[in-house]
Amino acid sequence: MTADTLGSRLHGRIAAGVPRWAVLAAYAIPLAVLPSSLWRIAAFIVNVPLLEPGPTPAGQEQLNGWWYILLLSVVSEGAALLAVGLVSEWGEVWPRWVPVLRGRRVPVMAAVIPAGLGALALLVFPYAMIGISLGVKFNGDPTGLVTHGWQTVVFHVMYWPLAVWSPLLALLTVHYYRRRSTVAPRGRALVPSQ
């Protein structure tokens, strides 16, 4: 089994006309999100000592539940995997397992609008990581994140990759829009060059 065969089984075939850089960017997004999910699971569910022990801030007892951490990690990775749809056939034609829509073309804006809004919302990560690196929250209060030495290094190694999610998604969204919106001049069909 080749890598292409394995890849097509996992996410479907790559759409026609998608350059290699776009495929690599689409694969990079879930890989960039994965370390932070693993860090959360290790720190809060498995209790690996990645944070200094201390009192739980008021109101965060519910947020520290294992189910919340696991759900946050799974949803984050699932959202990141949707970027692969911007380069795959299932991002252009609804898959056969989708009732009512199966086999129909995905409207360009049905993918571009959520992906664009997602890229905009994800700008929070570079901003947040700069703040965390400086030890402050959005409002200027101290973060409450207590790490020392190797813990700080591990945290930054695992969370800084999130900063690329927004720009990569924005780049893929623009590429998807341009690729899917290209229209042939009147009277001429687009024929792939051989």
Side-chain angles (χ1 to χ4, degrees), residues 37 53 113 123 132 149 152 159 171 175 181:
S37 296
I113 290 172
L123 281 172
I132 289 170
T152 303
Y159 266 84
L171 185 65
H175 175 264
S181 298

Side-chain angles (χ1 to χ4, degrees), residues 59-85:
Q60 284 195 346
E61 293 83 9
Q62 301 87 355
L63 298 180
N64 291 336
W66 66 268
W67 58 271
Y68 172 78
I69 299 298
L70 191 59
L71 182 65
L72 176 62
S73 299
V74 168
V75 168
S76 297
E77 197 61 35
L81 284 167
L82 287 174
V84 177

Side-chain angles (χ1 to χ4, degrees), residues 11-30:
H11 63 72
R13 292 190 313 229
I14 300 300
V18 175
R20 186 154 177 78
W21 68 263
V23 174
L24 293 174
Y27 290 154
I29 291 173

Side-chain angles (χ1 to χ4, degrees), residues 60-142:
Q60 284 195 346
E61 293 83 9
Q62 301 87 355
L63 298 180
N64 291 336
W66 66 268
W67 58 271
Y68 172 78
I69 299 298
L70 191 59
L71 182 65
L72 176 62
S73 299
V74 168
V75 168
S76 297
E77 197 61 35
L81 284 167
L82 287 174
V84 177
L86 296 173
V87 298
S88 298
E89 287 181 348
W90 60 267
E92 295 183 9
V93 177
W94 292 101
R96 66 177 173 261
W97 54 266
V98 177
V100 180
L101 298 173
R102 71 181 61 139
R104 295 183 183 178
R105 292 195 57 77
V106 174
V108 174
M109 297 313 281
V112 169
I113 290 172
L117 291 173
L120 189 61
L122 292 168
L123 281 172
V124 71
F125 287 124
Y127 182 73
M129 288 311 302
I130 291 169
I132 289 170
S133 295
L134 297 174
V136 295
K137 295 180 186 176
F138 290 117
N139 62 4
D141 292 343

